[in-house]
Amino acid sequence: DAGVTQSPTHLIKTRGQHVTLRCSPISGHKSVSWYQQVLGQGPQFIFQYYEKEERGRGNFPDRFSARQFPNYSSELNVNALLLGDSALYLCASSLPGARGEKLFFGSGTQLSVL
Amino acid sequence: TQLLEQSPQFLSIQEGENLTVYCNSSSVFSSLQWYRQEPGEGPVLLVTVVTGGEVKKLKRLTFQFGDARKDSSLHITAAQPGDTGLYLCAGAELRGTYKYIFGTGTRLKVLA
């Protein structure tokens, strides 16, 4: 079975531009989460979507938005890019369970803002 | 804001040594997970602990959840070079399990 796939793997943008990152979850997973991982730190929660509805949002500005499609794939959009948005953006799909959700992460999109 | 502090931040040890990584918070979590992340990859789930005081073993790795569900530890016995990586703990908020707060990470290097 294919794991979580993210595209593109690397991206270079300049300040003020817009970016769209894409994620395809593991087949059968209906929940997708997005995390931002700045170099040297742990991932920070941005959004979670379940059945196309936003189920949670982290402490990120409105420049960050996301959506989930009927096939459960997801897009993360970031407008008006800042230098500080440079990071590894991770997508995780998950299955609920009695012992909490198990997150399965993709390899991420490395975004560099110049 | 819930925070998870991990210690140590960096650890470099010789093959065969034992080590313990700590994950501490002032907040209570409904569950806590440990992940390992290698360069260029996303984190991979190692274990989930749910009950206060719970101990889980995964081969040479032993995970413990604190009695008050505020802290956790990861102990590795006889470390091997393949254990090298970034170890992350992640706590699920009490009011729901959909948001995970990740720790600051412990970067482990095991030298052959």
Side-chain angles (χ1 to χ4, degrees):
Chain A
D1 284 342
V4 176
T5 57
Q6 291 187 245
S7 62
T9 55
H10 296 82
L11 203 50
I12 299 175
K13 292 285 190 179
T14 56
R15 281 178 297 175
Q17 285 189 310
H18 162 91
V19 69
T20 297
L21 310 181
R22 295 178 175 83
C23 172
S24 291
I26 293 173
S27 177
H29 289 196
K30 298 180 180 179
S31 179
V32 169
S33 301
W34 287 95
Y35 286 80
Q36 180 196 65
Q37 187 175 23
V38 174
L39 190 63
Q41 297 181 18
Q44 274 200 295
F45 175 79
I46 310 176
F47 286 110
Q48 192 191 54
Y49 277 77
Y50 178 74
E51 290 277 17
K52 302 180 287 294
E53 296 289 327
E54 181 183 302
R55 200 161 77 161
R57 183 186 183 113
N59 190 23
F60 280 81
D62 292 343
R63 298 185 296 108
F64 289 77
S65 64
R67 55 180 175 167
Q68 187 177 31
F69 299 99
N71 66 353
Y72 303 111
S73 67
S74 178
E75 281 183 355
L76 175 70
N77 296 284
V78 187
N79 292 325
L81 285 166
L82 303 174
L83 295 179
D85 295 331
S86 295
L88 179 67
Y89 288 85
L90 294 163
C91 171
S93 71
S94 56
L95 276 174
R99 296 178 62 81
E101 295 196 358
K102 292 185 177 183
L103 297 178
F104 295 85
F105 284 90
S107 298
T109 294
Q110 185 65 54
L111 173 65
S112 298
V113 182
L114 306 177
Chain B
T1 302
Q2 292 175 301
L3 289 173
L4 273 170
E5 304 255 352
Q6 286 185 237
S7 62
Q9 277 188 286
F10 301 95
L11 196 52
S12 181
I13 61 172
Q14 294 293 324
E15 182 177 4
E17 292 184 5
N18 301 332
L19 67 119
T20 302
V21 176
Y22 299 94
C23 174
N24 295 295
S25 175
S26 58
S27 302
V28 179
F29 294 99
S30 63
S31 65
L32 194 135
Q33 298 180 332
W34 283 91
Y35 292 81
R36 184 171 72 205
Q37 184 177 22
E38 299 190 28
E41 300 293 329
V44 175
L45 178 66
L46 297 173
V47 77
T48 301
V49 284
V50 176
T51 308
E54 182 176 357
V55 177
K56 291 196 84 171
K57 292 192 174 184
L58 185 66
K59 297 183 181 177
R60 294 176 294 101
L61 279 60
T62 302
F63 305 86
Q64 185 162 7
F65 202 10
D67 291 341
R69 291 186 292 148
K70 292 183 180 181
D71 54 83
S72 182
S73 64
L74 158 61
H75 182 79
I76 301 179
T77 303
Q80 298 177 0
D83 296 327
T84 294
L86 177 68
Y87 287 83
L88 296 159
C89 62
E93 291 187 324
L94 266 183
R95 64 175 179 270
T97 60
Y98 59 87
K99 177 180 177 180
Y100 283 88
I101 309 295
F102 276 81
T104 47
T106 294
R107 192 164 297 279
L108 171 66
K109 187 168 186 177
V110 182
L111 305 169

